[in-house]
Amino acid sequence: MKKFMNKAESMVAESLEGFVSAHEALVMFGSQRKFIRRRHLVPGKVAIISGGGAGHEPLHVGFVGDGMLDAACTGHIFTSPTPDQIMAAIEETDTGAGCLLVVKNYDGDVMNFEMAAEALTGRHRIETVIVDDDVSSHWAARSSGRRGVAGTLIFEKVLGAAAESGMDLAGLKALGERIRRHVRTMGIALGGVTVPDTARTTFVLEADEMEVGVGIHGEPGVSRQKLADADTITAMLCNAILADWEMSNAGERALLLVNGFGGTPTPELYLVYNLARRTVEAKGIQVARSLVGTYVTSLDMAGLSVTLAMLDDEALHLWDAPVSTAVLHWGTNQ
Amino acid sequence: MKKFMNKAESMVAESLEGFVSAHEALVMFGSQRKFIRRRHLVPGKVAIISGGGAGHEPLHVGFVGDGMLDAACTGHIFTSPTPDQIMAAIEETDTGAGCLLVVKNYDGDVMNFEMAAEALTGRHRIETVIVDDDVSSHWAARSSGRRGVAGTLIFEKVLGAAAESGMDLAGLKALGERIRRHVRTMGIALGGVTVPDTARTTFVLEADEMEVGVGIHGEPGVSRQKLADADTITAMLCNAILADWEMSNAGERALLLVNGFGGTPTPELYLVYNLARRTVEAKGIQVARSLVGTYVTSLDMAGLSVTLAMLDDEALHLWDAPVSTAVLHWGTNQ
């Protein structure tokens, strides 16, 4: 395990300090450095708060800013933030219109966000949207349901834009539940990851193997297969998504996201995007928006996921709305 | 070697096709797919053209768009584009005000861009700016001078904005030469890279080694050392830059760029940024602008570089100017 770090236990804090320093016009630390918040809160706007374990960056902190998240709570690597962190974020960023929590569907995350929300009942109006876009965990009949993976950023962008436009808490909750039915992701890895704390590699693949259906915590997927070419892999990912999904959205338009897990070079992501776009278009789905890059990671895992989100006109409009964060940044001419 | 690819020989073409497809509002293929160009050329503006071998993405193609490059010519992996490609780009994007070629200082690139420019003498007004920001190749007393590495994107952004503002070819050439004196980069790798064509790894490090002073083609650096912690590495990189450089710019402001080589997770880049910023500020240099991310790569190399650019008011203003490309994208409020 080789990493640019001093000590494993201070790695997350040092990195977040650098992040805030590099983007000081947009973001700042919240109280006692328990979370990172948008520098300029908007009074009367519903606060959008997310978070999770570290190791998925730029996810969460990279999306704090105008038109997206008001706060992101970061736990230790692959470890949920504490209820205390989440409570601090709610208390500091709720300017009166309430808070919407965007929570990836992992037991620890769900529990800690719930505990924070319950502890503040009566003092803050709080709703939660659970993100559970991972097709492979559905296959695996995971008792707690699908995991939340790369599709999370779509929830954060669309809900963030809606809050910015003045949508109230009930409207945001309803919009989140609607999006939830229409976002699906499937991932694949060419290798496991080494967690700095433990220096333990999560799973080890042979030179001719790939791990199908992985999540974003280095956990093994649902099947280990012989390494295939990009055409075969891409078709498999797209078909898994389409098979899982009731395509009740025919006629609507898709956002296609190809997301790298941290160790996959950009050109490979574009190569897979090219094939994925053809595959879904061959099924009669119009790809209206695209995003290709390294956004939701599993440390430096070599691998990627394909996400398909069927968006109606309102959600597409919100996707297109201006955003100014460290990672997603566009104006009105997108 | 595990990669998302079909065949090594078609990898670059398939990836570029995906890139154009994902960003079709901004870019398109030029004639016979010899290069990628800005979709909407601006008549009377000097065309800014760059390029080089593939394997450095998002460098070059990711910076084609409004306010930056008009065209990028991509060769095969780590191989210069041909004069034929460069000539086609000049002929298609020169709308009358001439072309500025931004060329990284490698023998093959310099030769091929020169051949293209000479072949079009009399038909197009062409100037060239050579990028040679790499401190380590200076140490190594490389006969052809410093290599062009991550600092290239600073040239492309500042010169692109200047061209967009209406600066003429002579002005751009002079500006480019001025920037050239004030941009320095130093890189380090934790491992070599495997080139898909040859399936050969460029150099192999032991688990406790690092390679200091690497470039962006997987070539060995200037010294192999025992792996150190991030504080030590960052101080070494910053001190190499500062020692190389006549700090005649005291009182001006710096752009600090921490660039990943492809296989280094974002949090590690921010951790190094945090330390680098403190190191240069302790020398009395004001960090006025920052950029942290994976921009100029060496396939999936684990490693990073630190770039320090001393910018005067004009160059800072041009850095801040709106830009709309696949990778750099900001509006007037940056």
Side-chain angles (χ1 to χ4, degrees), chain A residues 78-108:
Chain A
F78 294 169
T79 305
S80 304
T82 61
D84 179 55
Q85 290 179 273
I86 301 160
M87 287 171 65
I90 293 169
E91 291 179 312
E92 191 167 321
T93 63
D94 181 358
T95 58
C99 291
L100 184 74
L101 310 179
V102 179
V103 183
K104 300 195 297 302
N105 191 29
Y106 297 96
D107 294 345

PDB file of all heavy atoms in Angstrom, chain A residues 78-108:
ATOM      1  N   PHE A  78     -14.659   4.899   4.884  1.00  0.00           N
ATOM      2  CA  PHE A  78     -15.705   3.877   4.778  1.00  0.00           C
ATOM      3  C   PHE A  78     -16.484   3.702   6.081  1.00  0.00           C
ATOM      4  O   PHE A  78     -16.976   2.623   6.399  1.00  0.00           O
ATOM      5  CB  PHE A  78     -15.103   2.525   4.345  1.00  0.00           C
ATOM      6  CG  PHE A  78     -14.530   2.522   2.948  1.00  0.00           C
ATOM      7  CD1 PHE A  78     -13.747   1.442   2.503  1.00  0.00           C
ATOM      8  CD2 PHE A  78     -14.763   3.566   2.061  1.00  0.00           C
ATOM      9  CE1 PHE A  78     -13.224   1.422   1.208  1.00  0.00           C
ATOM     10  CE2 PHE A  78     -14.235   3.552   0.759  1.00  0.00           C
ATOM     11  CZ  PHE A  78     -13.464   2.473   0.344  1.00  0.00           C
ATOM     12  N   THR A  79     -16.607   4.777   6.851  1.00  0.00           N
ATOM     13  CA  THR A  79     -17.298   4.738   8.139  1.00  0.00           C
ATOM     14  C   THR A  79     -18.295   5.894   8.205  1.00  0.00           C
ATOM     15  O   THR A  79     -17.945   7.031   7.894  1.00  0.00           O
ATOM     16  CB  THR A  79     -16.287   4.898   9.290  1.00  0.00           C
ATOM     17  OG1 THR A  79     -15.283   3.899   9.134  1.00  0.00           O
ATOM     18  CG2 THR A  79     -16.942   4.746  10.643  1.00  0.00           C
ATOM     19  N   SER A  80     -19.501   5.625   8.635  1.00  0.00           N
ATOM     20  CA  SER A  80     -20.539   6.659   8.682  1.00  0.00           C
ATOM     21  C   SER A  80     -20.123   7.834   9.555  1.00  0.00           C
ATOM     22  O   SER A  80     -19.425   7.645  10.550  1.00  0.00           O
ATOM     23  CB  SER A  80     -21.824   6.066   9.255  1.00  0.00           C
ATOM     24  OG  SER A  80     -22.208   4.943   8.505  1.00  0.00           O
ATOM     25  N   PRO A  81     -20.592   9.036   9.210  1.00  0.00           N
ATOM     26  CA  PRO A  81     -20.411  10.157  10.141  1.00  0.00           C
ATOM     27  C   PRO A  81     -21.251   9.890  11.386  1.00  0.00           C
ATOM     28  O   PRO A  81     -22.221   9.130  11.335  1.00  0.00           O
ATOM     29  CB  PRO A  81     -20.946  11.350   9.346  1.00  0.00           C
ATOM     30  CG  PRO A  81     -21.857  10.781   8.307  1.00  0.00           C
ATOM     31  CD  PRO A  81     -21.351   9.399   8.006  1.00  0.00           C
ATOM     32  N   THR A  82     -20.875  10.499  12.482  1.00  0.00           N
ATOM     33  CA  THR A  82     -21.605  10.288  13.740  1.00  0.00           C
ATOM     34  C   THR A  82     -22.875  11.150  13.771  1.00  0.00           C
ATOM     35  O   THR A  82     -22.939  12.183  13.100  1.00  0.00           O
ATOM     36  CB  THR A  82     -20.728  10.674  14.941  1.00  0.00           C
ATOM     37  OG1 THR A  82     -20.399  12.075  14.819  1.00  0.00           O
ATOM     38  CG2 THR A  82     -19.438   9.866  14.965  1.00  0.00           C
ATOM     39  N   PRO A  83     -23.861  10.743  14.572  1.00  0.00           N
ATOM     40  CA  PRO A  83     -25.059  11.575  14.733  1.00  0.00           C
ATOM     41  C   PRO A  83     -24.705  12.996  15.175  1.00  0.00           C
ATOM     42  O   PRO A  83     -25.321  13.971  14.733  1.00  0.00           O
ATOM     43  CB  PRO A  83     -25.854  10.835  15.816  1.00  0.00           C
ATOM     44  CG  PRO A  83     -25.435   9.406  15.672  1.00  0.00           C
ATOM     45  CD  PRO A  83     -23.981   9.457  15.294  1.00  0.00           C
ATOM     46  N   ASP A  84     -23.700  13.108  16.000  1.00  0.00           N
ATOM     47  CA  ASP A  84     -23.238  14.407  16.479  1.00  0.00           C
ATOM     48  C   ASP A  84     -22.827  15.329  15.323  1.00  0.00           C
ATOM     49  O   ASP A  84     -23.156  16.523  15.310  1.00  0.00           O
ATOM     50  CB  ASP A  84     -22.036  14.134  17.400  1.00  0.00           C
ATOM     51  CG  ASP A  84     -21.437  15.391  17.941  1.00  0.00           C
ATOM     52  OD1 ASP A  84     -22.185  16.180  18.550  1.00  0.00           O
ATOM     53  OD2 ASP A  84     -20.221  15.605  17.749  1.00  0.00           O
ATOM     54  N   GLN A  85     -22.118  14.781  14.353  1.00  0.00           N
ATOM     55  CA  GLN A  85     -21.728  15.582  13.178  1.00  0.00           C
ATOM     56  C   GLN A  85     -22.962  16.043  12.401  1.00  0.00           C
ATOM     57  O   GLN A  85     -23.055  17.186  11.963  1.00  0.00           O
ATOM     58  CB  GLN A  85     -20.852  14.747  12.224  1.00  0.00           C
ATOM     59  CG  GLN A  85     -19.459  14.435  12.726  1.00  0.00           C
ATOM     60  CD  GLN A  85     -18.698  13.572  11.710  1.00  0.00           C
ATOM     61  OE1 GLN A  85     -18.794  12.351  11.733  1.00  0.00           O
ATOM     62  NE2 GLN A  85     -17.962  14.209  10.814  1.00  0.00           N
ATOM     63  N   ILE A  86     -23.880  15.109  12.220  1.00  0.00           N
ATOM     64  CA  ILE A  86     -25.066  15.404  11.407  1.00  0.00           C
ATOM     65  C   ILE A  86     -25.954  16.429  12.116  1.00  0.00           C
ATOM     66  O   ILE A  86     -26.470  17.364  11.497  1.00  0.00           O
ATOM     67  CB  ILE A  86     -25.831  14.093  11.111  1.00  0.00           C
ATOM     68  CG1 ILE A  86     -24.907  13.113  10.365  1.00  0.00           C
ATOM     69  CG2 ILE A  86     -27.092  14.373  10.302  1.00  0.00           C
ATOM     70  CD1 ILE A  86     -25.356  11.651  10.432  1.00  0.00           C
ATOM     71  N   MET A  87     -26.095  16.270  13.429  1.00  0.00           N
ATOM     72  CA  MET A  87     -26.884  17.247  14.199  1.00  0.00           C
ATOM     73  C   MET A  87     -26.276  18.643  14.087  1.00  0.00           C
ATOM     74  O   MET A  87     -27.001  19.634  13.908  1.00  0.00           O
ATOM     75  CB  MET A  87     -26.943  16.835  15.677  1.00  0.00           C
ATOM     76  CG  MET A  87     -27.841  15.630  15.923  1.00  0.00           C
ATOM     77  SD  MET A  87     -27.674  14.998  17.633  1.00  0.00           S
ATOM     78  CE  MET A  87     -28.309  16.398  18.574  1.00  0.00           C
ATOM     79  N   ALA A  88     -24.971  18.726  14.165  1.00  0.00           N
ATOM     80  CA  ALA A  88     -24.309  20.033  14.066  1.00  0.00           C
ATOM     81  C   ALA A  88     -24.582  20.666  12.701  1.00  0.00           C
ATOM     82  O   ALA A  88     -24.817  21.877  12.591  1.00  0.00           O
ATOM     83  CB  ALA A  88     -22.801  19.877  14.303  1.00  0.00           C
ATOM     84  N   ALA A  89     -24.562  19.833  11.642  1.00  0.00           N
ATOM     85  CA  ALA A  89     -24.808  20.353  10.293  1.00  0.00           C
ATOM     86  C   ALA A  89     -26.242  20.869  10.164  1.00  0.00           C
ATOM     87  O   ALA A  89     -26.488  21.931   9.579  1.00  0.00           O
ATOM     88  CB  ALA A  89     -24.525  19.272   9.250  1.00  0.00           C
ATOM     89  N   ILE A  90     -27.186  20.117  10.718  1.00  0.00           N
ATOM     90  CA  ILE A  90     -28.592  20.544  10.653  1.00  0.00           C
ATOM     91  C   ILE A  90     -28.763  21.869  11.404  1.00  0.00           C
ATOM     92  O   ILE A  90     -29.343  22.827  10.890  1.00  0.00           O
ATOM     93  CB  ILE A  90     -29.514  19.461  11.256  1.00  0.00           C
ATOM     94  CG1 ILE A  90     -29.498  18.198  10.379  1.00  0.00           C
ATOM     95  CG2 ILE A  90     -30.942  19.992  11.427  1.00  0.00           C
ATOM     96  CD1 ILE A  90     -30.172  16.971  11.012  1.00  0.00           C
ATOM     97  N   GLU A  91     -28.217  21.911  12.610  1.00  0.00           N
ATOM     98  CA  GLU A  91     -28.413  23.108  13.437  1.00  0.00           C
ATOM     99  C   GLU A  91     -27.806  24.353  12.805  1.00  0.00           C
ATOM    100  O   GLU A  91     -28.343  25.451  12.913  1.00  0.00           O
ATOM    101  CB  GLU A  91     -27.840  22.870  14.840  1.00  0.00           C
ATOM    102  CG  GLU A  91     -28.679  21.834  15.607  1.00  0.00           C
ATOM    103  CD  GLU A  91     -28.140  21.532  16.995  1.00  0.00           C
ATOM    104  OE1 GLU A  91     -26.918  21.286  17.117  1.00  0.00           O
ATOM    105  OE2 GLU A  91     -28.944  21.544  17.956  1.00  0.00           O
ATOM    106  N   GLU A  92     -26.692  24.167  12.104  1.00  0.00           N
ATOM    107  CA  GLU A  92     -26.012  25.348  11.546  1.00  0.00           C
ATOM    108  C   GLU A  92     -26.568  25.778  10.192  1.00  0.00           C
ATOM    109  O   GLU A  92     -26.474  26.951   9.835  1.00  0.00           O
ATOM    110  CB  GLU A  92     -24.499  25.063  11.446  1.00  0.00           C
ATOM    111  CG  GLU A  92     -23.677  26.304  11.141  1.00  0.00           C
ATOM    112  CD  GLU A  92     -22.186  26.072  11.355  1.00  0.00           C
ATOM    113  OE1 GLU A  92     -21.805  25.382  12.318  1.00  0.00           O
ATOM    114  OE2 GLU A  92     -21.393  26.579  10.529  1.00  0.00           O
ATOM    115  N   THR A  93     -27.128  24.845   9.427  1.00  0.00           N
ATOM    116  CA  THR A  93     -27.518  25.228   8.056  1.00  0.00           C
ATOM    117  C   THR A  93     -29.025  25.348   7.858  1.00  0.00           C
ATOM    118  O   THR A  93     -29.464  25.807   6.811  1.00  0.00           O
ATOM    119  CB  THR A  93     -26.957  24.231   7.015  1.00  0.00           C
ATOM    120  OG1 THR A  93     -27.516  22.928   7.253  1.00  0.00           O
ATOM    121  CG2 THR A  93     -25.443  24.159   7.075  1.00  0.00           C
ATOM    122  N   ASP A  94     -29.831  24.923   8.841  1.00  0.00           N
ATOM    123  CA  ASP A  94     -31.279  25.116   8.710  1.00  0.00           C
ATOM    124  C   ASP A  94     -31.592  26.572   9.008  1.00  0.00           C
ATOM    125  O   ASP A  94     -31.470  27.018  10.144  1.00  0.00           O
ATOM    126  CB  ASP A  94     -32.032  24.185   9.678  1.00  0.00           C
ATOM    127  CG  ASP A  94     -33.548  24.341   9.560  1.00  0.00           C
ATOM    128  OD1 ASP A  94     -34.012  25.186   8.757  1.00  0.00           O
ATOM    129  OD2 ASP A  94     -34.264  23.606  10.262  1.00  0.00           O
ATOM    130  N   THR A  95     -31.987  27.299   7.983  1.00  0.00           N
ATOM    131  CA  THR A  95     -32.268  28.728   8.174  1.00  0.00           C
ATOM    132  C   THR A  95     -33.763  28.980   8.340  1.00  0.00           C
ATOM    133  O   THR A  95     -34.218  30.105   8.193  1.00  0.00           O
ATOM    134  CB  THR A  95     -31.726  29.552   6.988  1.00  0.00           C
ATOM    135  OG1 THR A  95     -32.331  29.059   5.779  1.00  0.00           O
ATOM    136  CG2 THR A  95     -30.226  29.443   6.882  1.00  0.00           C
ATOM    137  N   GLY A  96     -34.509  27.902   8.625  1.00  0.00           N
ATOM    138  CA  GLY A  96     -35.922  28.113   8.934  1.00  0.00           C
ATOM    139  C   GLY A  96     -36.888  27.306   8.079  1.00  0.00           C
ATOM    140  O   GLY A  96     -38.030  27.062   8.486  1.00  0.00           O
ATOM    141  N   ALA A  97     -36.423  26.862   6.917  1.00  0.00           N
ATOM    142  CA  ALA A  97     -37.325  26.131   6.011  1.00  0.00           C
ATOM    143  C   ALA A  97     -37.186  24.621   6.152  1.00  0.00           C
ATOM    144  O   ALA A  97     -37.832  23.865   5.429  1.00  0.00           O
ATOM    145  CB  ALA A  97     -37.058  26.561   4.576  1.00  0.00           C
ATOM    146  N   GLY A  98     -36.334  24.183   7.065  1.00  0.00           N
ATOM    147  CA  GLY A  98     -36.148  22.749   7.278  1.00  0.00           C
ATOM    148  C   GLY A  98     -34.969  22.185   6.516  1.00  0.00           C
ATOM    149  O   GLY A  98     -34.246  22.913   5.827  1.00  0.00           O
ATOM    150  N   CYS A  99     -34.745  20.877   6.689  1.00  0.00           N
ATOM    151  CA  CYS A  99     -33.591  20.196   6.093  1.00  0.00           C
ATOM    152  C   CYS A  99     -34.039  18.937   5.370  1.00  0.00           C
ATOM    153  O   CYS A  99     -34.877  18.187   5.885  1.00  0.00           O
ATOM    154  CB  CYS A  99     -32.634  19.701   7.179  1.00  0.00           C
ATOM    155  SG  CYS A  99     -31.798  20.995   8.025  1.00  0.00           S
ATOM    156  N   LEU A 100     -33.412  18.681   4.235  1.00  0.00           N
ATOM    157  CA  LEU A 100     -33.584  17.398   3.557  1.00  0.00           C
ATOM    158  C   LEU A 100     -32.258  16.647   3.653  1.00  0.00           C
ATOM    159  O   LEU A 100     -31.215  17.156   3.238  1.00  0.00           O
ATOM    160  CB  LEU A 100     -33.963  17.599   2.092  1.00  0.00           C
ATOM    161  CG  LEU A 100     -34.262  16.286   1.353  1.00  0.00           C
ATOM    162  CD1 LEU A 100     -35.634  15.734   1.782  1.00  0.00           C
ATOM    163  CD2 LEU A 100     -34.229  16.485  -0.155  1.00  0.00           C
ATOM    164  N   LEU A 101     -32.313  15.435   4.222  1.00  0.00           N
ATOM    165  CA  LEU A 101     -31.118  14.605   4.335  1.00  0.00           C
ATOM    166  C   LEU A 101     -31.085  13.633   3.161  1.00  0.00           C
ATOM    167  O   LEU A 101     -32.066  12.921   2.916  1.00  0.00           O
ATOM    168  CB  LEU A 101     -31.141  13.832   5.661  1.00  0.00           C
ATOM    169  CG  LEU A 101     -31.413  14.669   6.917  1.00  0.00           C
ATOM    170  CD1 LEU A 101     -31.424  13.757   8.160  1.00  0.00           C
ATOM    171  CD2 LEU A 101     -30.375  15.771   7.076  1.00  0.00           C
ATOM    172  N   VAL A 102     -29.968  13.606   2.441  1.00  0.00           N
ATOM    173  CA  VAL A 102     -29.790  12.668   1.321  1.00  0.00           C
ATOM    174  C   VAL A 102     -28.819  11.592   1.806  1.00  0.00           C
ATOM    175  O   VAL A 102     -27.645  11.880   2.060  1.00  0.00           O
ATOM    176  CB  VAL A 102     -29.244  13.390   0.075  1.00  0.00           C
ATOM    177  CG1 VAL A 102     -29.041  12.397  -1.067  1.00  0.00           C
ATOM    178  CG2 VAL A 102     -30.184  14.519  -0.345  1.00  0.00           C
ATOM    179  N   VAL A 103     -29.330  10.367   1.961  1.00  0.00           N
ATOM    180  CA  VAL A 103     -28.582   9.331   2.674  1.00  0.00           C
ATOM    181  C   VAL A 103     -28.437   8.086   1.802  1.00  0.00           C
ATOM    182  O   VAL A 103     -29.430   7.518   1.348  1.00  0.00           O
ATOM    183  CB  VAL A 103     -29.315   8.961   3.989  1.00  0.00           C
ATOM    184  CG1 VAL A 103     -28.509   7.930   4.771  1.00  0.00           C
ATOM    185  CG2 VAL A 103     -29.561  10.203   4.829  1.00  0.00           C
ATOM    186  N   LYS A 104     -27.214   7.657   1.594  1.00  0.00           N
ATOM    187  CA  LYS A 104     -26.977   6.418   0.861  1.00  0.00           C
ATOM    188  C   LYS A 104     -27.440   5.235   1.729  1.00  0.00           C
ATOM    189  O   LYS A 104     -27.238   5.224   2.945  1.00  0.00           O
ATOM    190  CB  LYS A 104     -25.480   6.267   0.512  1.00  0.00           C
ATOM    191  CG  LYS A 104     -24.951   7.407  -0.350  1.00  0.00           C
ATOM    192  CD  LYS A 104     -23.611   7.127  -1.011  1.00  0.00           C
ATOM    193  CE  LYS A 104     -22.443   6.908  -0.056  1.00  0.00           C
ATOM    194  NZ  LYS A 104     -22.171   8.032   0.865  1.00  0.00           N
ATOM    195  N   ASN A 105     -27.993   4.241   1.092  1.00  0.00           N
ATOM    196  CA  ASN A 105     -28.611   3.146   1.838  1.00  0.00           C
ATOM    197  C   ASN A 105     -27.591   2.114   2.359  1.00  0.00           C
ATOM    198  O   ASN A 105     -27.399   1.054   1.761  1.00  0.00           O
ATOM    199  CB  ASN A 105     -29.674   2.455   0.974  1.00  0.00           C
ATOM    200  CG  ASN A 105     -30.517   1.490   1.786  1.00  0.00           C
ATOM    201  OD1 ASN A 105     -30.701   1.681   2.987  1.00  0.00           O
ATOM    202  ND2 ASN A 105     -31.016   0.452   1.137  1.00  0.00           N
ATOM    203  N   TYR A 106     -26.945   2.479   3.454  1.00  0.00           N
ATOM    204  CA  TYR A 106     -26.080   1.574   4.222  1.00  0.00           C
ATOM    205  C   TYR A 106     -26.574   1.635   5.657  1.00  0.00           C
ATOM    206  O   TYR A 106     -26.935   2.718   6.138  1.00  0.00           O
ATOM    207  CB  TYR A 106     -24.611   2.010   4.150  1.00  0.00           C
ATOM    208  CG  TYR A 106     -24.085   1.957   2.753  1.00  0.00           C
ATOM    209  CD1 TYR A 106     -24.069   3.094   1.968  1.00  0.00           C
ATOM    210  CD2 TYR A 106     -23.649   0.757   2.195  1.00  0.00           C
ATOM    211  CE1 TYR A 106     -23.634   3.041   0.655  1.00  0.00           C
ATOM    212  CE2 TYR A 106     -23.206   0.700   0.887  1.00  0.00           C
ATOM    213  CZ  TYR A 106     -23.207   1.833   0.118  1.00  0.00           C
ATOM    214  OH  TYR A 106     -22.787   1.778  -1.185  1.00  0.00           O
ATOM    215  N   ASP A 107     -26.545   0.518   6.322  1.00  0.00           N
ATOM    216  CA  ASP A 107     -27.127   0.461   7.665  1.00  0.00           C
ATOM    217  C   ASP A 107     -26.583   1.560   8.579  1.00  0.00           C
ATOM    218  O   ASP A 107     -27.340   2.244   9.263  1.00  0.00           O
ATOM    219  CB  ASP A 107     -26.858  -0.912   8.304  1.00  0.00           C
ATOM    220  CG  ASP A 107     -27.597  -2.025   7.552  1.00  0.00           C
ATOM    221  OD1 ASP A 107     -28.506  -1.703   6.755  1.00  0.00           O
ATOM    222  OD2 ASP A 107     -27.254  -3.202   7.758  1.00  0.00           O
ATOM    223  N   GLY A 108     -25.274   1.718   8.589  1.00  0.00           N
ATOM    224  CA  GLY A 108     -24.657   2.692   9.488  1.00  0.00           C
ATOM    225  C   GLY A 108     -25.079   4.110   9.161  1.00  0.00           C
ATOM    226  O   GLY A 108     -25.417   4.898  10.050  1.00  0.00           O
TER     227      GLY A 108
END
